[in-house]
Structure formats: C-alpha cells, structure tokens
C-alpha cells in the first residue's frame, strides 16, 4: 500500500469538500478523476461573526465538551474483550428497546466527525485531545481483538458475519460502521491524526478481505439493507492511499438497483426510505470522482433535481415517516408530524455542496440556503442546543428535541456535525474567482491571494450584504455575487458607485476589476412575502419572506413545561397529540401574500385569520417550545 499523503489527497476535488483546496505535489499520482471547477476554503480560513449561526455553533461546541468519550467507547471495549472505563450512554447506544436496529456505536463516529470539524474551525485543542483519546482506544480494541473490525453491536462481530453470509438479520450494520469510518476519515484529514489514519486503514483492509468472497449478486442482496455512504468513504480512502482495492470496493458498494434507473433519468423513488438513499447518491458523486464514469455523475444530478424540485417541502425537507411518497399524494402527507427527517436534510446539503463544486449553479446555492435556514438552523433548540429528529408540518404540533444522554438518534449524531461546519459553504473559489454564496457575517482569509474579505451583514433581518477587501497589493479578481431567486432584482455598488444591476434572479453577478486595499462592495437585495402552493395540492400553501419559511406561532396551550424534550423518537406523532384546531386562513396565494402585514419587530408579521384574529408569523428557524404551523389549508374567500 502506498504511503498516505494528506496533501496529495486534498488536491482531489472530491475531498476538498472536507477541508479545502491544497497545492498538488509533484509526486501526486495521475488519477482518472473529473477535476472540480471550484474548491472550498479550509474551515480554519473562515471566521464567523456574531449572528444566529455563531450562536448555534457555540451551543454545539459546549455539548461536545460535555459528552464523555469513554461512555461512547463502552461497547467497543466490551466487544474487544476489554474492560470498559465508563458506563454506556442510554437510548440507541444501549437500551434493549433499540436493539433491533443495531445502531450501537454510530454516535462515536458522528462525535469524531464533529470534534474534527470543531477543531478545524476553532483550533481549540480540547477537541483534538478527545479525538486522540478515542483513536488510541480504538487501536487498543483492534489489537485486543486481533481484527481491523471495531464495532459496538450487542452481538459484536457476529452480526456483521451473519450479514456477510447472507443470513436474515435485524439492524443496519454497514450503516453504523460507515459512521465510524467517516469519523476516522475526518479525524485523519481535519485534525491531522496519524493514529486515526492507521486505525482507519486497518479497518478498511478488514472490509476488503471480509467482502471479497461475495459474488456480485450476493453483494447487491446485502445492499438491500441500509448501508450509509460506504461507497463515499471508500472512494475517499482510494484518494488518500492510491490503493485500488478501495476504489473497487466503492464501486461494489454502489447499489446498482438505485444507480441504474437514476442514471437513465428515471424517478423510481416512491416508497423508498429517503435517508437510506441520499448517502448512496452522495457516494455516487464520489465514485464518479475516482472513476470518471458519467453514470455516477448523471445519477447524482438527476436525483438532486428530482428531490429538490419536485419532492421537497417549502422548508427544503422531504418525506413522510422517513419515506419518499408519490408527488401526487402531497395532500395526504404534508400535514404529518413525521415529515422532514433532519438527517435527510443534512445529507441533501452534502450532496448539494458536492454538485455545486462540479457545476457552480445558483440553483444549488439557493436550495442550500433554504435548507440551511429552514432545516438545519431550525433543528436546534436555542436553549439547550439539542436537535430534532422530524420537523413535521402537523398544524399545532411542536418541535421535539433529543435528551442530552438518553436519545442519541441518528439526527443527534448529524446534529453534532451540522452546527460546527456552517463556515464551510459561505465562499468558494478557483484561481481568479471568488463566489459569495451565503450572506453570513464572516471573515475569509484567502492565503493564495494574500487577501482578506470581511462580510458584514444583518441578513436576514435586512436584505443584502457588504464586503470589504484587505489586500497586500492590487489584485485582479472576479467577485461572483449570488442574485438569489427570491429577490426580484439586485444592485452592486463598489465604493458607493453602482457597477452592476441584475433583473434576472437565480444567477451570479460577476464583478471583475483590479481590487485595492479597502475597496468596499455592497449587494442590495429585496425581500418580500410570497406564498408557495403545492403544485399537486392547490389550496395548501406555505408563506415565505425571502428564503425564510414563515411559521404561525400558535402558543403553548395544553403543553407541559419540558414536554418537547423526549427520549423515544418512535413516538413522534403521539406526543402533544391533544386535539388542536389551528386558525384558518382564507383566500388564494396572491390575496394571502398581500394580506400579510409587518409586525413590531424585524422578521415578524401578522395576517388576519378567517376567525378575525391576527396570526403572528415568524421565521420557522426561530420557532421553539411552542405550537406552530408552516403549511395552511386555505379556505375559500378573501384574505
């Protein structure tokens, strides 16, 4: 096996999504990959300014430091024949109620990824110390067990062995193992952990040997069980090492029953478990990077268009009870309490970002922004930092958050990652262009150009943003400013003088010039209230202000204090299920939008109900600890 090279690996566009671009070395191998048009910046090159995203990040940072790694390692040590050092956590990590899904250990993988993201973003050594402790423990487990496999399943390696033999099992072993693989990969790349690299490669070599006897048909049968993004992490491992065994295994882990119809532009998603598919699709994009096979690229792009454009709610979420449903049945599913699984939104953003790097379209950036505000930022409890599983649209329901130590849902794990990587998709670049995708207070250090760009904005409370250059020398660059689809027009000023005006939303405005130290750029946008009706269900509508879904804030009647912090996600829909009659809104989309009036504070509005009572509307991401409505069944009449 070739010596691992971090710089060589980061030179590939496939994995710049993790850390950022790096300068290729002369020794870099020639790989048959499609080079991306853009690269992200290293997380440590972007600082967040004060605002909702920085506040959300700090809540998650505090939670990560409260968690105890030895409790997450408990079952790993037991399975290796070692004495555990701390009692195991509850919920999905230990309790018999969850034994049938066999997700024990998935939290450790997410936690590794989150700590790696937090360390890369902040430089706080406490996160790196936790990574190194976990990695040393996993290495000890490998030595004690005499195997590269590390797992925390109740039946230990026996579950994986039965799955490989094709025996019926309960659970999703590869899904869970993928989280550990991904955590080790992120620890190696983001936190520069040599120990993580060593454990990861031994773990991957075990997978190569363990799966080699399977025929193609046996492998496909195994992939009918949820397996996360195994193809993604194996493609990354190929780029890390140059070991062709990993590339081959990434292709074998690419589920042909899903790949083939998507590559032929066929939507056969009805009834499929949504978040089982999305990591596979993200993996398809990765496999395209390492093989150049256009089927993988075409499948990923078609899937994204299908889900983003025809299967998503106004918030950018999707699905009912974790499954895709027929588009024509929208009215039957939209008011479920089990819509918009947060993990699905997390993974759709990963896919969106990867596709944007290959094809920098404002369509991708607009969708990313909508999901970021209405799905990811909206998923966190602003008081405790805990996260949602579903974010359903049952009128009068409320967001339900996990407990700190006894839930550990899949969305608990992705929630740990979501809020410590906000800085990863604000800016992108090539050699001479800088894309500004998100309007978030931040400072960017573009080392290659010896430039610093500071973005100052009160968005979304105010439309638009301002940017100021700090440059060591005059530099010729193109600034690509997103004109979002939600703004009818956009104006760009440089040092107070208008230089560009756009009346075509959903594109980038290119401002090319020789920039000088202190140059100031202002992007002026216009936000307005709009109403989106579901094409398959006219009369069911959501209200938005710019990219923000406006939710009816419906109060706390009949809700006990703390009733929204829960252990068992399987009881979503039964919590707080006392009969509730929401206000009625009347009219059509146009009259309803015109009837919305500004409230007394920024981003707050009111609209009259058919019962002649005002309904308060606030951004959905600000809703917490109260009942809400995001979709409304409109009654005939005038708003």
């Amino acid at each position: 096996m070739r010596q691992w090279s971090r710089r060589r690996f980061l030179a590939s566009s496939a994995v710049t999504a993790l850390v950022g671009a790096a300068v290729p070395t002369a020794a870099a191998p020639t790989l048959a990959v499609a080079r991306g048009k853009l690269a992200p910046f290293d997380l440590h090159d972007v600082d967040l300014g004060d605002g909702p995203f920085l506040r959300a990040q700090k809540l998650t940072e505090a939670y990560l430091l409260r968690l105890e790694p030895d409790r997450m390692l408990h079952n790993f040590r037991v399975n290796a024949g070692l004495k555990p050092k701390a009692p195991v956590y509850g919920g999905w990590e230990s309790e018999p109620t969850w034994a049938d899904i066999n997700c024990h250990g998935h939290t450790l993988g997410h936690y590794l990824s989150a700590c790696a993201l937090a360390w890369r973003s902040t430089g706080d050594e406490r996160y790196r110390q936790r990574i190194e402790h976990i990695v040393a423990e996993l290495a000890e487990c490998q030595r004690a067990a005499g195997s590269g496999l590390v797992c925390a399943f109740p039946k230990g390696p026996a579950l994986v062995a039965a799955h490989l033999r094709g025996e019926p099992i309960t659970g999703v072993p590869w899904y869970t193992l993928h989280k550990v693989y991904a955590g080790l990969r992120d620890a190696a790349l983001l936190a520069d952990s040599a120990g993580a690299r060593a454990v990861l490669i031994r773990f991957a070599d075990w997978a190569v040997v363990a799966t080699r006897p399977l025929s193609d048909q046996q492998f496909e049968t195994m992939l009918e069980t949820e397996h996360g993004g195994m193809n993604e992490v194996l493609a990354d491992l190929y780029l890390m090492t140059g070991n062709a065994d990993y590339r081959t295994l990434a292709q074998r882990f690419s589920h042909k029953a899903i790949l083939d119809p998507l590559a032929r532009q066929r939507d056969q998603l009805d009834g499929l478990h949504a978040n089982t598919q999305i990591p596979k699709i993200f993996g398809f994009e990765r496999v395209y990077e390492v093989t150049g096979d256009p089927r993988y690229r075409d499948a990923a792009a078609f899937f994204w268009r299908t889900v983003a454009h025809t299967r998503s709610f106004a918030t950018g979420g999707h699905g009912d009870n974790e499954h895709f449903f027929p588009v024509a049945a929208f009215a039957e599913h939209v008011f479920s309490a089990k819509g918009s699984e947060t993990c699905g939104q997390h993974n759709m953003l990963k896919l969106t970002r990867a596709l944007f790097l290959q094809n920098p379209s404002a369509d991708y950036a607009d969708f990313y922004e909508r999901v970021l505000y209405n799905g990811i930022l909206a998923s966190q409890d602003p008081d405790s930092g805990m996260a949602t599983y579903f974010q359903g649209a049952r009128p009068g329901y409320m967001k339900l958050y996990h407990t700190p130590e006894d839930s550990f849902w899949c969305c608990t794990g992705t929630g740990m990652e979501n809020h410590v990587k906000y800085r990863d998709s604000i800016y992108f670049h090539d050699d001479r262009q800088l894309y500004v995708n998100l309007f978030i207070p931040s400072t960017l250090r573009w080392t290659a150009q010896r430039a610093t760009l500071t973005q100052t904005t009160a968005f979304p409370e105010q439309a638009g943003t301002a940017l100021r250059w700090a440059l060591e020398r005059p530099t010729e660059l193109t600034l690509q400013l997103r004109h979002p689809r939600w703004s009818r027009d956009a104006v760009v000023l440089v040092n107070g003088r208008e230089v560009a005006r756009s009346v075509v939303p959903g594109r980038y405005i290119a401002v090319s010039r020789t920039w000088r130290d202190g140059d100031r750029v202002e992007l002026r946008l216009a936000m307005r209230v709009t109403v989106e009706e579901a094409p398959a269900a006219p009369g069911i509508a959501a209200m938005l202000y710019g990219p923000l879904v406006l939710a009816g804030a419906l109060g706390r009647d009949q809700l006990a204090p703390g009733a929204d912090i829960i252990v068992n996600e399987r009881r979503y829909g039964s919590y707080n299920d006392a009969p509730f009659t929401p206000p009625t809104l009347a009219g059509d989309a146009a009259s309803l939008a015109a009837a919305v009036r500004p409230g007394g504070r920024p981003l707050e509005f009111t609209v009259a109900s058919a019962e002649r009572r005002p309904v308060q509307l606030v951004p959905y991401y600000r809703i917490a600890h109260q009942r809400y409505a995001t979709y409304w069944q409109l009654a005939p009449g005038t708003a």
Side-chain angles (χ1 to χ4, degrees):
M1 183 178 297
R2 298 183 198 176
Q3 182 63 34
W4 179 86
S5 167
R6 181 173 182 273
R7 292 186 69 196
R8 179 183 303 162
F9 180 43
L10 296 181
S12 165
S13 62
V15 191
T16 54
L18 290 172
V19 180
V23 179
T25 65
T30 301
L31 300 176
V33 298
R35 299 299 178 185
K37 294 181 178 179
L38 294 181
F41 287 93
D42 194 310
L43 289 170
H44 72 233
D45 287 336
V46 181
D47 294 332
L48 293 182
D50 188 40
F53 293 103
L54 182 59
R55 291 192 288 274
Q57 176 180 306
K58 289 185 178 298
L59 282 171
T60 294
E61 288 174 5
Y63 180 51
L64 293 176
L65 294 174
R66 288 199 304 271
L67 291 171
E68 300 176 44
D70 283 331
R71 298 188 67 181
M72 288 179 270
L73 286 159
H74 177 106
N75 284 328
F76 288 91
R77 290 184 62 86
V78 169
N79 284 350
L82 299 170
K83 183 179 179 181
K85 297 181 177 180
V88 68
Y89 279 122
W92 281 22
E93 287 301 312
S94 66
E95 294 180 10
T97 306
W98 286 271
D100 61 325
I101 61 174
N102 280 288
C103 279
H104 303 67
H106 81 108
T107 302
L108 183 76
H110 285 297
Y111 185 76
L112 272 173
S113 292
C115 285
L117 288 161
W119 181 79
R120 197 79 189 178
S121 296
T122 68
D124 188 331
E125 281 295 324
R126 290 176 295 178
Y127 300 112
R128 199 166 188 278
Q129 291 164 3
R130 285 163 180 258
I131 289 168
E132 295 300 343
H133 174 74
I134 291 169
V135 166
E137 289 288 307
L138 292 179
E140 185 178 359
C141 288
Q142 287 180 325
R143 288 191 297 270
S147 169
L149 172 64
V150 286
C151 69
F153 304 126
K155 294 183 180 180
L159 174 71
V160 185
H163 196 30
L164 289 166
R165 290 193 299 267
E167 298 174 8
I169 63 167
T170 59
V172 286
W174 284 114
Y175 165 90
T176 304
L177 293 178
H178 168 254
K179 309 311 166 200
V180 183
Y181 277 110
L184 289 166
R185 175 204 60 196
D186 294 344
L189 293 174
L190 297 172
D192 303 310
S193 173
R197 172 173 58 89
V199 172
L200 173 61
I201 289 175
R202 189 174 182 191
F203 194 7
D205 289 344
W206 164 84
V208 169
V209 173
T211 59
R212 188 171 284 151
L214 274 64
S215 69
D216 289 346
Q217 183 54 55
Q218 289 171 322
F219 214 110
E220 273 291 291
T221 300
M222 183 175 71
L223 296 185
E224 293 173 4
T225 300
E226 186 174 7
H227 51 275
M230 283 300 301
N231 52 352
E232 166 223 350
V233 78
L234 286 160
D236 287 349
L237 272 159
Y238 167 67
L239 291 169
M240 288 172 68
T241 65
N243 185 341
D245 286 341
Y246 301 147
R247 180 177 58 188
T248 298
L249 193 53
Q251 292 173 282
R252 298 195 81 192
F253 262 107
S254 293
H255 196 188
K256 308 308 181 292
I258 300 300
L259 170 67
D260 292 344
L262 290 173
R264 295 194 300 269
Q265 313 287 288
R266 295 181 183 175
D267 177 359
Q268 298 180 1
L269 299 176
D270 289 349
L272 295 184
H273 185 266
N275 199 49
T276 293
Q277 314 315 319
I278 304 170
K280 298 177 191 175
I281 312 304
F282 182 49
F284 292 166
E285 193 279 334
R286 283 283 199 262
V287 175
Y288 165 66
E289 288 284 335
V290 301
T291 66
D293 186 335
R295 292 183 309 141
Y296 293 100
R297 176 200 61 201
D298 295 347
F302 176 72
F303 176 90
W304 184 90
R305 291 195 302 273
T306 299
V307 175
H309 290 168
T310 68
R311 292 181 173 274
S312 290
F313 302 119
T315 58
H318 55 264
D320 180 10
N321 199 18
E322 304 187 12
H323 288 71
F324 290 122
F325 54 80
V327 175
F330 184 89
E332 301 169 27
H333 295 275
V334 62
F335 293 122
S336 171
K338 296 184 177 183
S340 297
E341 182 190 2
T342 307
C343 274
Q345 296 168 302
H346 164 91
N347 283 312
M348 275 300 292
L349 287 193
K350 289 177 66 176
L351 175 61
T352 302
R353 188 172 185 271
L355 292 170
F356 177 83
L357 288 169
Q358 291 297 317
N359 176 24
S361 164
D363 194 24
Y364 291 131
D366 283 349
F367 180 78
Y368 196 101
E369 177 185 60
R370 184 173 289 207
V371 179
L372 191 71
Y373 278 95
N374 303 300
I376 303 305
L377 186 61
S379 71
Q380 188 190 64
D381 177 0
D383 295 334
S384 69
M386 303 302 100
T388 59
Y389 193 107
F390 295 111
Q391 296 188 62
R394 178 190 291 178
Y397 210 57
M398 67 191 303
K399 296 177 184 176
L400 303 176
Y401 306 102
H402 70 84
T403 61
E405 296 188 0
D406 295 306
S407 304
F408 294 109
W409 314 322
C410 51
C411 299
T412 307
T414 54
M416 293 177 189
E417 300 178 38
N418 283 331
H419 308 288
V420 288
K421 63 174 185 175
Y422 284 127
R423 65 193 71 203
D424 78 347
S425 293
I426 304 173
Y427 307 101
F428 298 90
H429 70 98
D430 61 17
D431 289 345
R432 308 303 301 177
Q433 296 184 100
L434 176 64
Y435 282 72
V436 180
N437 270 18
L438 298 172
F439 312 127
I440 294 176
S442 51
T443 298
L444 165 69
R445 291 173 292 279
W446 193 355
T447 306
Q449 298 294 342
R450 302 197 314 207
T452 298
L453 186 72
T454 300
Q455 181 173 185
T456 304
T457 180
F459 184 84
E461 293 189 1
Q462 297 176 8
T465 191
L467 305 116
R468 184 179 291 274
W469 287 104
L471 295 159
E472 292 186 17
R473 61 179 186 273
T475 306
E476 184 178 349
L477 296 169
T478 297
L479 200 57
Q480 296 280 7
L481 303 171
R482 182 170 62 93
H483 178 184
R485 196 167 297 279
W486 46 259
S487 181
R488 286 177 177 165
D489 53 20
V491 178
V492 180
L493 296 87
V494 174
N495 298 328
R497 183 174 65 86
E498 182 177 323
V499 298
R501 181 178 292 265
S502 170
V503 294
V504 183
R507 70 185 187 101
Y508 285 91
I509 305 170
V511 183
S512 300
R513 60 191 288 137
T514 298
W515 300 96
R516 290 173 169 77
D517 186 49
D519 279 349
R520 187 176 187 276
V521 182
E522 184 180 358
L523 175 64
R524 295 180 180 175
L525 303 170
M527 297 172 72
R528 68 188 190 281
V529 174
T530 57
V531 175
E532 287 189 3
E533 288 187 286
I540 297 178
M543 288 175 280
L544 293 96
Y545 182 64
L548 308 177
V549 170
L550 296 177
L554 304 181
R556 292 190 50 86
D557 286 352
Q558 303 179 48
L559 296 176
D564 50 355
I565 305 295
I566 66 169
V567 172
N568 190 343
E569 95 295 343
R570 296 186 181 189
R571 290 188 55 210
Y572 257 88
S574 61
Y575 289 100
N576 309 315
D577 61 351
F580 182 85
T581 303
T584 304
L585 301 184
D588 58 19
S591 63
L592 183 60
V596 175
R597 298 286 180 265
R601 300 171 58 191
L603 301 182
E604 293 187 1
F605 303 85
T606 60
V607 64
S609 68
E611 296 83 8
R612 303 299 177 187
R613 293 195 303 271
V615 176
Q616 184 185 27
L617 302 173
V618 300
Y620 176 64
Y621 78 81
R622 289 185 177 177
I623 288 284
H625 312 304
Q626 66 171 309
R627 299 184 187 275
Y628 67 84
T630 52
Y631 271 99
W632 308 83
Q633 178 72 65
L634 302 183
T638 304

